[in-house]
Amino acid sequence: MSTWRESVPVAGSVILTPDARALDSLGRNHSLPTALADLVDNSIDAQASEVLIRFVRQSGRLRALYVVDNGRGIGPQEIDAAMTVGARRDYGQGDLGRFGVGMKSASFSQARSVTVISKTRSVPPVGRRWVIDSARRDFSCDVIPVAFCVEEFDRTWRIPETGSGTVVRLDQVSGFPATDDSVRVEKFVTRKILEIRQHLGLVLHRILEANRVRIVLDVEDVDSPYPGPSFDVEPINPFGYIRSGHSDYPKHLVATSENQKIVLRCHIWPGRSRTLQFRLGDSPSAHQGLYIYRNDRLLHAGGDWGGLHATDADLQLARVAVDIDNDIAGLFRMNPEKSRVTTGPEFAALAETAIAEDGTQFADYLIEAEAVYRRSRQRTRSRRTMIPPGKGFGPGLRASIEDEIPLLDREDGISIKWRRFHRDDFFQVDRESRTLWLNDAYRPEPKGERHSVNDAPLLKALLYLLVEDVFQGEYLGPKDKDNIELWREILTAAAKEQSSARD
Ligand SMILES: Nc1ncnc2c1ncn2[C@@H]1O[C@H](COP(=O)(O)OP(=O)(O)OP(=O)(O)O)[C@@H](O)[C@H]1O
Ligand SMILES: [Mg+2]
């Protein structure tokens, strides 16, 4: 027999504040795009209508990175809490914030110094700065003088003014190239801007689609009087196919236990696709599985089935959207970087019982998704091989042609271009240069100031499907010649009729 006491006695207490070096471990899983997403989350929580992400260049070198918004700002009474690691506020229903660490961990994951300058209506701006070295010594945070806050706040940011807002400035960004070589810097910025647009476009696609916020990226060269180009973040919807792969889908499968309910919104893509919405930036088959959203922010972009099934090449068209809120936290755990969700063992057990109104179960869905994938492969394989589109086709149209048609592996595709004709013919076939020339006289008016080379997509798609065949083979056969005659007569008559109707 041994003695065991149920309660542990104490003889007093000592206060052990965490060592400030604990800051080092913050945000280790962040990349630049996920860190920026965390900062943009804060802007969205602050009801900003616009957010600007800006790279600042001086003497050729990248010097700082800003995230600026026109949201409600942080007041003098709140700024210290906002800078404190782990200080949580009272979160509202749809808030993206949760842990009280996002801004700090996102910033320190990318930079050695973060300055926050913020302004609420009718009071002067306030500012604080964390520099990792002094923060690690004793958590000491710098107070920024009001004059500099005003100066920084009043710089030309490319967002509408609301009288309030927040400027988050990162200095000594660790990933920036240590060079003023303009080619290398240019390359770096171009690649990062693309990565950031893709990541933010994906994780915030619902919020962007609902026009709750606009996000712009730009590069400021402080030595130049001209503003640099700017880029909008466009939504990338991982469920953004044109037509469902199966007419009965998407289906909602619901699973309930005593205190929990989850809804699995099961989708089937129509086939592999080259669109950004399907590829999501990298390998085409890696994005099957669960898409987990919290307050319309995507936390987890596929790649696994949360213990429901193993990933499988035949399931690459299957994607399931799941909305979670804080109440079902027992089933799901998001990482503090908000870039992944892990599911607990109870999730798979509960999800397996999910059922649709028509009786469809999760296993049935997977079987359907697999069948759609097999059929889509057979379909494209049995189609006639065609010459790829060349110049004059926009990326969306090109991707869709590539998805649907097996294409010959050659560099020069069929270009469709406009030029002035001496006659009133609608088109000319130039097999030599693989170009279908269209008569400028019938060109539709441009939407903006100038014509786009990729204009008139509907017309070009129809023509491509119609004439592709005459570009194949060594010679133009009599049948081809007659077809060209026929199309020319009819299409020229149609084009004339259309332009006289317009006049
Ligand atoms: N752009 C901003 N506009 C207004 N307030 C902000 C902004 N950024 C941060 N804050 C304030 O600072 C606080 C701390 O932000 P931080 O991102 O560190 O934590 P959080 O958003 O509360 O939680 P989480 O760790 O989940 O992101 C926020 O709760 C908010 O009050
Ligand atoms: Mg946050």
Side-chain angles (χ1 to χ4, degrees):
M1 215 179 80
S2 64
T3 44
W4 179 76
R5 284 207 271 160
E6 195 183 326
S7 60
V8 177
V10 291
S13 62
V14 289
I15 305 292
L16 300 174
T17 47
D19 191 296
R21 274 171 296 187
L23 286 174
D24 282 353
S25 58
L26 284 180
R28 282 290 169 98
N29 291 319
H30 269 309
S31 63
L32 183 60
T34 64
L36 288 169
D38 223 332
L39 297 177
V40 173
D41 281 356
N42 288 341
S43 303
I44 293 170
D45 277 352
Q47 318 282 306
S49 66
E50 293 206 14
V51 184
L52 171 76
I53 298 173
R54 172 170 291 177
F55 290 83
V56 173
R57 258 179 107 161
Q58 187 187 41
S59 315
R61 213 172 164 122
L62 285 172
R63 302 300 299 271
L65 182 62
Y66 282 83
V67 178
V68 183
D69 70 52
N70 62 1
R72 71 169 102 81
I74 309 172
Q77 264 84 48
E78 299 132 32
I79 185 78
D80 288 327
M83 297 302 284
T84 304
V85 178
R88 299 185 183 188
R89 61 179 159 84
D90 287 333
Y91 297 106
Q93 259 277 303
D95 276 350
L96 303 173
R98 169 103 194 263
F99 300 111
V101 298
M103 188 218 318
K104 285 73 74 175
S105 64
S107 304
F108 283 146
S109 75
Q110 305 301 312
R112 303 189 64 78
S113 158
V114 49
T115 307
V116 178
I117 288 161
S118 195
K119 184 178 174 333
T120 49
R121 288 222 180 122
S122 72
V123 286
V126 285
R128 295 287 183 274
R129 180 182 68 171
W130 278 118
V131 178
I132 188 75
D133 297 318
S134 49
R136 268 157 76 198
R137 222 175 300 123
D138 54 4
F139 281 117
S140 75
C141 179
D142 302 320
V143 176
I144 310 295
V146 176
F148 182 76
C149 294
V150 173
E151 186 186 314
E152 197 77 341
F153 197 82
D154 289 345
R155 297 192 53 164
T156 353
W157 307 109
R158 262 188 173 129
I159 52 177
E161 280 178 36
T162 56
S164 63
T166 302
V167 175
V168 177
R169 165 177 171 168
L170 305 182
D171 290 278
Q172 302 183 62
V173 178
S174 47
F176 281 177
T179 174
D180 54 11
D181 178 286
S182 67
V183 176
R184 279 181 56 197
V185 171
E186 204 63 52
K187 241 187 175 159
F188 174 86
V189 173
T190 309
R191 197 179 65 237
K192 287 300 161 192
I193 287 182
L194 184 72
E195 284 173 20
I196 295 164
R197 289 172 77 197
Q198 289 192 349
H199 183 73
L200 296 181
L202 175 64
V203 299
L204 297 172
H205 79 90
R206 286 185 179 175
I207 292 169
L208 291 164
E209 281 157 355
N211 287 321
R212 281 170 55 194
V213 73
R214 176 169 178 242
I215 306 169
V216 185
L217 287 94
D218 75 1
V219 184
E220 178 187 349
D221 192 336
V222 293
D223 307 316
S224 157
Y226 306 107
S230 75
F231 308 89
D232 260 68
V233 175
E234 306 284 351
I236 299 172
N237 181 353
F239 302 92
Y241 44 76
I242 293 168
R243 216 153 39 84
S244 173
H246 190 301
S247 56
D248 295 345
Y249 284 82
K251 276 188 194 181
H252 295 183
L253 275 58
V254 181
T256 29
S257 66
E258 303 110 63
N259 45 13
Q260 280 163 330
K261 173 177 168 188
I262 48 173
V263 181
L264 306 174
R265 291 167 215 276
C266 303
H267 293 250
I268 305 178
W269 272 74
R272 282 174 67 122
S273 168
R274 278 169 228 242
T275 57
L276 207 49
Q277 288 95 324
F278 186 76
R279 279 194 299 112
L280 301 180
D282 49 17
S283 127
S285 62
H287 292 286
Q288 60 186 278
L290 301 178
Y291 285 72
I292 303 176
Y293 296 83
R294 173 174 168 268
N295 293 333
D296 287 335
R297 147 79 141 100
L298 182 64
L299 298 172
H300 186 97
D304 66 84
W305 288 99
L308 273 171
H309 200 279
T311 57
D312 180 341
D314 288 348
L315 288 176
Q316 56 183 286
L317 305 182
R319 291 182 180 181
V320 174
V322 188
D323 283 270
I324 62 171
D325 54 36
N326 300 334
D327 297 331
I328 45 176
L331 297 175
F332 304 94
R333 249 186 116 78
M334 63 173 166
N335 66 359
E337 287 87 5
K338 304 202 184 88
S339 55
R340 268 211 102 62
V341 173
T342 43
T343 47
E346 306 85 31
F347 167 75
L350 181 59
E352 247 156 28
T353 68
I355 188 160
E357 264 179 0
D358 65 1
T360 305
Q361 294 181 328
F362 196 76
D364 304 324
Y365 159 63
L366 294 181
I367 291 169
E368 293 282 18
E370 207 175 311
V372 171
Y373 176 62
R374 296 242 173 79
R375 278 199 300 274
S376 79
R377 291 200 40 164
Q378 269 161 9
R379 193 176 61 223
T380 26
R381 256 192 253 129
S382 64
R383 285 181 181 159
R384 187 174 67 83
T385 307
M386 292 171 59
I387 303 173
K391 297 209 169 68
F393 297 79
L397 174 56
R398 187 184 301 275
S400 145
I401 291 172
E402 287 170 350
D403 289 347
E404 293 300 324
I405 301 168
L407 296 171
L408 287 171
D409 210 5
R410 56 198 326 165
E411 309 235 307
D412 49 338
I414 299 172
S415 297
I416 304 187
K417 301 183 193 169
W418 302 90
R419 75 169 173 203
R420 189 140 301 165
F421 284 16
H422 296 303
R423 311 160 50 131
D424 55 7
D425 286 352
F426 180 63
F427 71 86
Q428 285 164 357
V429 172
D430 180 354
R431 279 170 42 101
E432 199 90 345
S433 72
R434 277 253 163 73
T435 303
L436 182 73
W437 291 106
L438 305 182
N439 190 340
D440 225 7
Y442 305 114
R443 190 168 191 175
E445 288 298 315
K447 281 225 186 71
E449 298 218 324
R450 283 193 298 141
H451 279 295
S452 150
V453 281
N454 298 335
D455 66 349
L458 185 60
L459 178 69
K460 286 179 184 167
L462 288 168
L463 288 171
Y464 169 77
L465 295 173
L466 186 69
V467 307
E468 181 275 338
D469 202 29
V470 303
F471 286 90
Q472 295 223 20
E474 289 287 308
Y475 306 100
L476 211 50
K479 183 75 198 149
D480 285 335
K481 282 187 183 145
D482 182 52
N483 271 338
I484 292 175
E485 263 327 294
L486 165 74
W487 299 331
R488 197 181 359 245
E489 285 305 311
I490 294 177
L491 293 179
T492 304
K496 281 182 173 167
E497 201 160 309
Q498 182 150 330
S499 54
S500 70
R502 210 170 36 213
D503 299 338

